[in-house]
Amino acid sequence: MTIDIGTGDGRAVLAAAARDPRTLVIGMDASAAAMAELSRRAAGPARKGGLPNAAFILAAAEAPPRDLRGVAERVTVQFPWGSLLRGCVGLDEAVAAGAAALVADRGALDLLIAPSVRDGLGGVPTDASGLAEVVAGSFARHGFELEFGRPATHAEVVASGSTWARRLGASRANGDAPDRSALLFHLVRR
């Protein structure tokens, strides 16, 4: 099972579910409105884009449902903002603890983030090496070890299937200098 926290419109969930029909992919977000359209489509018939292995749940990262705690082989957070971003970079302990609680023993937590100075992260570094140290420390207290932290490849950004990935790609395609670089952090619960 994979849980995508802060799934937003749910595009990443549908992309992951379509890639691997044997894996249940759950999108979790605190906003029902954001997920409404694609969750209805996922629940529909296959001929209309329905995916029986895609589901959506309304919950905040800091208060995940008890039934999902410790059951996900993989938890993803893709291009978060606001409190979810602050949780990923060690500035909101409740969010970090909630995300960590979903991961099973020996499961993985994958963070695909694109922080910027404009995000107001209170001096948290936004470069890959500086942020890797912060992320590692933030999740170490929850039993995680950082296996790697590095700039994400273009293919990894596109494969996320997220709306933010599309925006970053469009910015680069138009020749704009992006103010955000996508970074990938892979942590494993020991």
Side-chain angles (χ1 to χ4, degrees):
M1 172 190 312
T2 296
I3 299 174
D4 184 52
I5 301 174
T7 201
D9 63 16
R11 290 182 193 279
V13 169
L14 295 186
R19 267 193 313 273
D20 187 359
R22 297 168 293 147
T23 298
L24 173 62
V25 183
I26 298 173
M28 187 174 100
D29 203 288
S31 171
M35 301 182 292
E37 179 185 334
L38 290 183
S39 64
R40 277 193 298 272
R41 189 169 101 195
R47 63 182 163 65
K48 291 191 175 187
L51 293 163
N53 64 321
F56 294 87
I57 188 160
L58 180 63
E62 60 272 20
R66 290 199 186 280
D67 291 345
L68 293 180
R69 291 177 186 221
V71 300
E73 296 159 0
R74 181 174 183 233
V75 171
T76 60
V77 181
Q78 302 180 89
F79 300 110
W81 55 277
S83 64
L84 188 52
L85 175 59
R86 288 190 300 279
C88 289
V89 300
L91 296 176
D92 190 325
E93 177 57 26
V95 170
L102 296 169
V103 182
D105 287 340
R106 297 194 238 318
L109 174 62
D110 288 315
L111 310 175
L112 182 59
I113 60 179
S116 169
V117 173
R118 294 185 320 180
D119 291 327
L121 299 177
V124 171
T126 57
D127 64 286
S129 62
L131 196 52
E133 190 174 317
V134 171
V135 168
S138 177
F139 287 97
R141 63 180 151 261
H142 299 288
F144 287 86
E145 185 175 303
L146 179 68
E147 285 200 346
F148 63 82
R150 59 170 172 74
T153 66
H154 177 70
E156 289 166 334
V157 170
V158 171
S160 75
S162 77
T163 301
W164 255 108
R166 287 182 177 184
R167 289 182 184 161
L168 287 173
S171 174
R172 285 183 175 88
N174 291 335
D176 298 337
D179 69 337
R180 298 175 184 269
S181 294
L183 305 171
L184 179 62
F185 300 96
H186 179 76
L187 302 107
V188 176
R189 172 164 269 154
R190 301 286 184 212

